[in-house]
Amino acid sequence: MKKVLVISGKGGTGKTTVSSFLIDFLNVKALADCDVDAPNLHLVSSFNNDSLINEKEFKGIDIYEINQNLCISCGECQTLCKFDSILYKNGKYQINPLSCEGCGVCEYFCPVNAISTKENFVGNTQVFKSEKLFSTAKLSMGSGNSGKLVSQVKKNLDDNLKNEDLVIIDGSPGIGCPVIASLAAIDFALIVTEPSLSGLSDMKRIIKTAKIFKTNIAIIINKADLNLEVTSMIEGYIKENNFTLLGKINYDNNISKIINTKKSIANKRLIISSQLVNIANNLLNMI
């Protein structure tokens, strides 16, 4: 079994589009969406509630609350809070759960023990099983712990895997906690970039991050014909550093139209169809 993670240094490069094509064209039977802040792989997949086999709330770091019956309004908690999470409103001290980092200083120093923890559910995980296995999750707006939630998505996938030869995981953009959690225990990092200066810069950052995990790396340049100068710069960087260019994809505005109908692009007649097929075949040869 080989696990391929599709990632990008920035959003909007076409990462999920590439993931969905590989899943459909290679008939991948196990997949996951680790972009828990904004999951969207399900939008181009055929899973529905009838195939939902597991759904659980995800518990984040405990947050704190003030018992107003015990509070003496001394203001010590507000003075000590380094995150400005304690507000004085309507004659009461209150903790803003969106900015509370769960450090516990307020509880420790409260002179009347009026502050205590409470469970904090920040999202939910889902596992679907039909002809394919799909693990995903959604983080509540403004919540933290996305790295832990990504790890749970991957664990849910592993717990239900059988004898699948290939697993495709759609990762998060950037280089933060969810990406780091996604990179753990995978065989191959497929990095999708675009021909822009920000795309080039962020590609370098995600490559540096992926190398820490000593995983195999290959790169796809999406929308390669929109800026040939920057595409050439990206190709030069790849060659200079001995990375693998898995392929280039030209821009085709029909892709967004197809995706908006929630249909796969794997069996559509597109300008870039042969380029995508070559990328899929090159991936199989590498793994």
Side-chain angles (χ1 to χ4, degrees):
M1 179 187 298
K2 297 292 184 181
K3 293 181 180 178
V4 176
L5 173 67
V6 185
I7 48 179
S8 59
K10 64 180 292 294
T13 63
K15 169 181 56 63
T16 301
T17 301
V18 170
S19 297
S20 64
F21 173 82
L22 293 174
I23 289 165
D24 291 332
F25 183 77
L26 298 176
N27 195 25
V28 175
K29 298 295 186 182
L31 50 142
D33 190 343
C34 286
D35 187 3
V36 296
D37 292 280
N40 58 359
L41 187 58
H42 64 281
L43 297 177
V44 288
S45 303
S46 56
F47 298 96
N48 54 48
N49 288 334
D50 293 336
S51 57
L52 180 65
I53 63 171
N54 184 285
E55 183 172 22
K56 290 183 179 179
E57 286 187 299
F58 177 75
K59 182 176 177 294
I61 296 174
D62 288 343
I63 58 175
Y64 290 79
E65 62 180 355
I66 300 174
N67 186 332
Q68 299 299 333
N69 294 324
L70 297 177
C71 180
I72 58 174
S73 297
C74 66
E76 185 73 4
C77 55
Q78 186 183 54
T79 301
L80 294 172
C81 181
K82 300 300 183 182
F83 302 100
D84 296 324
S85 298
I86 300 177
L87 311 174
Y88 188 71
K89 188 176 181 180
N90 298 326
K92 298 178 181 180
Y93 285 97
Q94 304 172 40
I95 298 176
N96 180 358
L98 293 179
S99 57
C100 176
E101 291 290 333
C103 68
V105 167
C106 57
E107 180 188 36
Y108 186 84
F109 286 100
C110 179
V112 293
N113 297 319
I115 302 176
S116 60
T117 60
K118 67 175 182 178
E119 289 187 324
N120 180 32
F121 292 97
V122 298
N124 69 298
T125 62
Q126 293 178 317
V127 180
F128 297 84
K129 184 72 170 73
S130 54
E131 293 181 359
K132 298 181 179 182
L133 173 66
F134 178 41
S135 178
T136 185
K138 186 173 183 180
L139 191 69
S140 300
M141 187 177 297
S143 300
N145 306 123
S146 56
K148 290 180 65 177
L149 184 51
V150 166
S151 297
Q152 187 62 53
V153 169
K154 293 172 67 179
K155 183 180 185 302
N156 290 347
L157 182 71
D158 289 341
D159 288 346
N160 289 277
L161 287 173
K162 302 285 184 191
N163 299 312
E164 292 82 2
D165 295 326
L166 179 61
V167 175
I168 296 289
I169 301 173
D170 188 29
S172 302
I175 60 170
C177 291
V179 176
I180 291 170
S182 299
L183 280 165
I186 60 110
D187 300 295
F188 200 89
L190 182 55
I191 297 172
V192 181
T193 188
E194 65 179 13
S196 64
L197 293 180
S198 60
L200 173 59
S201 174
D202 291 334
M203 180 195 71
K204 292 178 180 179
R205 295 199 310 157
I206 190 60
I207 287 174
K208 186 176 180 180
T209 304
K211 286 175 68 177
I212 295 173
F213 291 83
K214 302 185 185 304
T215 185
N216 296 308
I217 296 172
I219 299 160
I220 293 173
I221 306 175
N222 191 25
K223 298 172 279 189
D225 57 334
L226 293 186
N227 191 326
L228 297 179
E229 181 180 357
V230 179
T231 294
S232 179
M233 292 168 62
I234 294 173
E235 289 180 287
Y237 179 84
I238 293 171
K239 183 177 181 180
E240 180 181 345
N241 290 276
N242 296 315
F243 295 121
T244 299
L245 177 60
L246 206 63
K248 296 187 291 185
I249 305 170
N250 289 336
Y251 178 76
D252 188 338
N253 61 6
N254 288 311
I255 287 182
S256 59
K257 296 177 182 178
I258 294 170
I259 291 175
N260 286 338
T261 65
K262 298 185 179 181
K263 295 181 180 179
S264 170
I265 65 172
N267 299 312
K268 302 294 181 179
R269 294 183 178 275
L270 300 167
I271 297 173
I272 45 77
S273 293
S274 61
Q275 295 171 329
L276 286 166
V277 170
N278 288 337
I279 285 172
N281 290 331
N282 289 340
L283 176 63
L284 288 179
N285 290 334
M286 288 195 67
I287 60 176

